[in-house]
Amino acid sequence: MTYSSSTLSVPSSPAVPRHIAIIMDGNGRWATRRFLPRFAGHGKGVEAVRNIVETCANRGVEFVTLFAFSSENWRRPEEEVSLLMRLFVTALEREVGKMHNNGIRLKVVGDLSRFDAKLQDMIANAERKTANNTNLTVTICANYGGRWDVMQAVQKMLAQESAGNDAPFTEDQLAQHLAMAYAPEPDLFIRTGGEQRISNFLLWQLAYSELYFTDTYWPDFDAAELDKAIASYQQRERRFGRTSEQLVKQKKAS
Ligand code: IPE
Ligand code: IPE
Ligand code: MG
């Protein structure tokens, strides 16, 4: 199934966001505040993921996308990077069976070639096992970067184009090759941990997402916090370039 693009046509604005994308930030500071090692914060962060995934399913969200490791996070101390990789492996070992029983489809997107073979295998198996589940799609962005995504899409698009065809490329053609072409663009973007930046997350897909920033650290982000973000989203007027008057008129007519 392909979804319409927010720039090519005006999409619907569901009352409950169909797709929520989250930058899960603040694990390290959560731990440091408690005089714990940063890694304790990442461990707590996994628990928060479990809770938020369950809450999203209960609220009727169809896609939740979680930024777990960015293409720039390799710049962290080697020790922290390898601890994060190990945590990823244990989380997959523990959670995939449960997700499958709950009808959740798991996807992992990013440049996976940089992960070791065992982790790549586990990811492929988890995706295969859950591929036909329809309750909620959970996407983990791992070694993901928004620029990487656009670049790999351009490269695939160019490779597919037959020689001699000099018609200009379209947005639709490029979008088909983005790593998350299976999902609609996010309705709601959330960043925890107080920073107000995109940090090379979904650059293309966030074109018309509603942005929500909270100071709450990711390990403390619970169902009530998610409901606050959804309530904020529900207050927004999503104009997609139109005027407020146009929206009022449209509402009256329908
Ligand atoms: C987010 O928490 C998790 C990852 C980037 C892996 P951080 O580790 O960035 O936590 P802070 O920002 O240092 O508090
Ligand atoms: C963004 O968080 C990436 C993830 C949450 C995985 P960072 O903590 O790495 O972002 P910056 O470096 O503060 O922008
Ligand atoms: Mg951070």
Side-chain angles (χ1 to χ4, degrees):
M1 175 172 181
T2 52
Y3 292 98
S4 65
S5 139
S6 60
T7 45
L8 298 178
S9 60
V10 178
S12 63
S13 299
V16 172
R18 187 150 63 142
H19 182 178
I20 302 182
I22 310 180
I23 298 187
M24 311 184 287
D25 197 17
N27 291 350
R29 281 164 288 160
W30 181 92
T32 306
R33 269 225 176 149
R34 286 165 178 73
F35 306 102
L36 295 168
R38 290 178 57 82
F39 186 66
H42 296 314
K44 265 281 178 195
V46 176
E47 287 176 34
V49 168
R50 194 181 299 129
N51 187 19
I52 289 304
V53 164
E54 191 187 314
T55 309
C56 282
N58 291 337
R59 301 293 182 270
V61 173
E62 291 173 45
F63 297 86
V64 62
T65 299
L66 303 166
F67 205 5
F69 192 88
S70 76
S71 45
E72 288 68 51
N73 285 143
W74 298 103
R75 295 170 182 165
R76 293 192 177 197
E78 219 179 289
E79 199 191 354
E80 179 162 343
V81 170
S82 70
L83 282 167
L84 283 167
M85 293 301 144
R86 257 180 283 159
L87 192 62
F88 197 5
V89 170
T90 41
L92 285 172
E93 280 167 354
R94 283 192 200 151
E95 305 298 331
V96 172
K98 282 184 249 173
M99 289 176 110
H100 185 52
N101 292 338
N102 292 326
I104 293 171
R105 171 167 73 146
L106 181 68
K107 299 282 242 178
V108 180
V109 305
D111 181 2
L112 305 184
S113 66
R114 202 162 160 189
F115 294 137
D116 71 37
K118 180 187 166 198
L119 183 51
Q120 289 189 43
D121 270 1
M122 288 183 76
I123 290 169
N125 289 337
E127 287 191 332
R128 209 173 305 122
K129 183 177 172 127
T130 63
N132 296 320
N133 293 340
T134 54
N135 278 353
L136 169 69
T137 298
V138 174
T139 301
I140 305 292
C141 295
N143 193 19
Y144 178 88
R147 290 187 180 177
W148 165 83
D149 196 0
V150 173
M151 283 307 299
Q152 65 82 30
V154 168
Q155 280 157 3
K156 280 190 193 146
M157 186 176 72
L158 292 175
Q160 234 185 37
E161 232 11 74
S162 52
N165 179 0
D166 52 12
F169 293 117
T170 63
E171 263 192 51
D172 263 343
Q173 275 174 301
L174 191 137
Q176 280 168 31
H177 295 291
L178 291 169
M180 289 186 62
Y182 54 84
E185 293 170 35
D187 299 295
L188 173 61
F189 159 94
I190 299 172
R191 182 172 186 143
T192 65
E195 312 298 347
Q196 304 198 355
R197 54 179 173 249
I198 304 290
S199 298
N200 197 17
F201 193 27
L202 302 161
L203 297 178
W204 177 283
Q205 298 89 333
L206 292 175
Y208 271 106
S209 305
E210 295 300 328
L211 308 181
Y212 179 86
F213 298 94
T214 171
D215 289 336
T216 303
Y217 295 139
W218 176 250
D220 291 328
F221 193 82
D222 58 11
E225 294 281 342
L226 181 72
D227 287 339
K228 258 198 261 174
I230 294 175
S232 167
Y233 161 87
Q234 288 168 340
Q235 297 301 313
R236 315 281 179 93
E237 184 177 60
R238 302 188 75 191
R239 291 193 285 274
F240 298 102
R242 298 162 300 170
T243 66
S244 200
E245 288 74 15
Q246 285 176 293
L247 291 182
V248 172
K249 239 191 227 163
Q250 192 187 46
K251 231 185 194 169
K252 271 190 194 149
S254 67

